[in-house]
Structure formats: structure tokens, C-alpha cells
Amino acid sequence: MFDIAVVGAGPAGYSAAINARKREKTVVVIGQNTGWLTKAERVENYAGMPGVSGRDMFETMRNQAADMGAQFRSGVVHQIIGMGESFALSLGADFIEARRVILCTGAAQPKRLPGEEALLGRGVSYCGTCDGMLYKGKRVAVIAQGPDAADEANFLAGLCEKVTVFGRPQGALDAKIAVCERKPEVILGESKATGLRAGGEDMAFDGVFIFREAMAMGALMPEVEMDGAFIRVDRHMRTNVPGVYAAGDCTGTPFQVAKAVGEGCVAALDAAGSIK
Ligand SMILES: Cc1cc2nc3c(=O)[nH]c(=O)nc-3n(C[C@H](O)[C@H](O)[C@H](O)COP(=O)(O)OP(=O)(O)OC[C@H]3O[C@@H](n4cnc5c(N)ncnc54)[C@H](O)[C@@H]3O)c2cc1C
């Protein structure tokens, strides 16, 4: 069990991890090497680091967190479940347990497809490793919107009769996989997913796998209160759920590294102080 789990590897998450380590708490950062900051050619307005490239700044923060003893796990957290004194975070087929959670998930809130929420666990899945065996010898659709999508689709290709990928995942795909250029619009089915409407056409599948870079808050932890598109927090970066904090772009504008780093620090110090 970790003292603190940080969801999202960006400036807010790394700052939270650095400050949690400074208070000698065990910390794990869960995310991928793909935060918004890596897309910034040059950051001119961060005090003390004029003209640094976004990628260099990102790597420096990550290395600093690693040097201070933060641990990292690669992937997307699909769900966070409160268990009284701690939280279970689902990551692929694994669960990570932590006493406190700091959400540093950025501003990009993916929209769920119509039908997705209702059919989750009934033909719709976010995890090939967890659910792939249920579709052995069957036909599945893969909606590829995240960096792990190619690996997951290739894994499914080893089990399923037919895998059809929607989107253009990073990485090579197994030759058995069909790629469809149509845009997924609706997941079809009443009590169970039966297919996908894409580009206006209904296509039959036994299962639909969705791989994204992030999760909508309503799926990740529905009990966390929102303020429009952003997570509602107080001055200590506490959410309405005791033990759960939020920091960075996910709490609102301005979308700036300085704000993300500051909020990550505040959240980590409060979270660390609350663990006896
Ligand atoms: C092109 C560009 C240029 C910019 N230039 C500047 C600038 O000059 N100065 C400045 O101050 N700011 C700039 N910004 C803004 C800055 O990059 C952001 O404000 C900052 O990165 C926010 O940090 P964050 O940690 O809150 O979120 P992010 O950096 O977005 O990191 C969040 C991470 O969490 C991940 N994540 C989300 N959900 C999950 C989940 N369920 N499980 C695991 N991981 C998850 C996301 O994939 C992402 O990697 C720029 C942004 C862009 C796009």
C-alpha cells in the first residue's frame, strides 16, 4: 500500500510526487509520458527557467521525482474505489492501493460514446488483459484513442476471431487486424453490446474495447463533485471526497505550468499532513 497515489503524470502530478517525497511519504505516479507540456515548443513564462522546451521541462520534473524516490506505473487508471481507510485504483488487470489520492488528470476530459456507460461490463471493456479471454474466438471492435491501443489490439488479435480497429493507434498492428476509418458514434445493444454505429453504418461485434489516454471523471470516480468540466476543490485542493485531492488543469483555468505545480504542491502537503 502506498501513502499517496497520484493519477496523471504531468507538472501537477510530478510536483505532488516531489513534495510528498519531501515529507517522506511513499508515492506512486500513474500515467504516461504524454502530458500537454511535452507539446509546448518553448515555455517562456515559468519563473527561473526561461525559454526551456516543454519536453526538457517535463523530463527534468520526472527525473527529479524519480531521484527523490517516487515510483511510476505506466497506464490509465480506469476506476477509483473508496474502501474506508484507503482507495483501490484499477490499472489494467492490477489494483494499486493508497491511503490518499491526488487527481492530476489534466484538462482533456474524453467524452463517452452513447451506450458506453450503460453497457460497460456488458460487452464494453476498457481492458484487454482483464476481459480479453471473454471474447476468445469472437469478433471485437477496438476504439483506439490512447498510446496503449496498438499493444492491446495485438493482444486481442491473439485471442479473438476478428479484431477491427477504429482510429490510428501508435505502433504496428498484427496483420490479422482490420482497420476501419469510420468514426465510432454509438455503441449498440440493450442489455449487452451487439455492435457499433460508425460513419452512419451499424456493424455487428461481440465486444467493444475502448482504449483512451484519460477517463471521464464520471467513470473514474463518480462521487467526486464537478464544477462544470472541472473538479471542485477548496484552498487545500481537497475534493468533496475525504482523502481525494485534485490539482492542475483538471481543477480549472488558467492552464499554466506554474498553477499546476503550485496546486500539486499544496495537495501533496495537505495529503501528507493528514497521514499519521
Ligand atoms: C502546445 C502547448 C503549449 C503550452 N505552453 C505553455 C506555456 O508556455 N506556459 C505554461 O505555463 N503552460 C503552457 N501550456 C499548458 C501546460 O502544458 C499545462 O497547463 C500543464 O501541462 C498542466 O499540467 P497538468 O499536470 O495539470 O496536466 P497535463 O500536463 O495535461 O497532464 C495530465 C496527464 O494525466 C494523464 N491522465 C488523465 N487521466 C488519466 C488517468 N485516468 N490515468 C492515468 N493518467 C491520466 C493525461 O494523459 C496527461 O498525461 C501549454 C500547453 C500546450 C498544449
Side-chain angles (χ1 to χ4, degrees):
M1 162 127 68
F2 289 93
D3 290 323
I4 298 176
V6 175
V7 182
Y14 292 142
S15 168
I18 289 163
N19 285 284
R21 287 300 302 142
K22 201 75 187 125
R23 292 292 166 97
E24 297 185 324
K25 300 301 172 195
T26 55
V27 59
V28 60
V29 181
I30 308 156
Q32 291 152 104
N33 262 336
T34 56
W36 267 17
L37 184 56
T38 59
K39 300 186 192 339
E41 197 180 323
R42 213 148 286 285
V43 177
E44 304 285 1
N45 64 338
Y46 192 83
M49 298 174 78
V52 65
S53 82
R55 175 50 80 178
D56 283 353
M57 197 180 198
F58 184 90
E59 297 295 346
T60 305
M61 288 178 181
R62 187 177 177 87
N63 292 339
Q64 186 179 356
D67 290 346
M68 290 180 71
Q71 295 192 39
F72 296 98
R73 296 275 194 285
S74 180
V76 175
V77 177
H78 291 131
Q79 206 185 356
I80 303 170
I81 301 160
M83 303 193 304
E85 296 297 299
S86 66
F87 299 89
L89 294 84
S90 79
L91 179 69
D94 294 335
F95 277 96
I96 291 174
E97 205 182 330
R99 293 184 174 83
R100 304 287 181 270
V101 173
I102 306 180
L103 301 167
C104 300
T105 48
Q109 279 272 317
K111 280 212 174 81
R112 283 183 280 185
L113 291 170
E116 177 178 333
E117 189 178 357
L119 296 169
L120 186 62
R122 292 185 290 134
V124 173
S125 169
Y126 298 138
C127 177
T129 316
C130 321
D131 296 333
M133 280 307 282
L134 301 174
Y135 299 92
K136 198 165 182 207
K138 298 189 174 173
R139 302 153 306 164
V140 301
V142 167
I143 300 177
Q145 297 174 350
D148 294 342
D151 284 350
E152 294 275 11
N154 289 336
F155 171 73
L156 291 169
L159 294 171
C160 303
E161 183 200 313
K162 184 163 185 206
V163 175
T164 305
V165 167
F166 294 79
R168 291 183 177 275
Q170 299 156 21
L173 289 177
D174 188 297
K176 267 175 63 186
I177 294 175
V179 176
C180 182
E181 299 289 334
R182 296 195 194 101
K183 190 169 180 273
E185 289 152 352
V186 180
I187 298 179
L188 304 169
E190 302 233 321
S191 56
K192 193 183 173 319
T194 54
L196 196 61
R197 180 168 307 141
E201 188 185 324
D202 290 358
M203 304 166 82
F205 294 104
D206 300 304
V208 178
F209 286 83
I210 306 174
F211 302 115
R212 297 199 178 100
E213 188 163 11
M215 296 295 293
M217 269 312 296
L220 188 62
M221 201 173 190
E223 55 271 51
V224 169
E225 246 173 50
M226 303 296 285
D227 192 353
F230 302 110
I231 301 170
R232 189 189 293 276
V233 284
D234 67 11
R235 277 186 58 79
H236 304 281
M237 312 317 295
R238 298 173 189 156
T239 71
N240 63 306
V241 180
V244 178
Y245 297 75
D249 284 3
C250 64
T251 69
T253 56
F255 298 151
Q256 291 286 289
V257 179
K259 171 185 171 284
V261 164
E263 289 188 355
C265 168
V266 173
L269 295 183
D270 198 89
S274 73
I275 299 169
K276 301 298 167 216

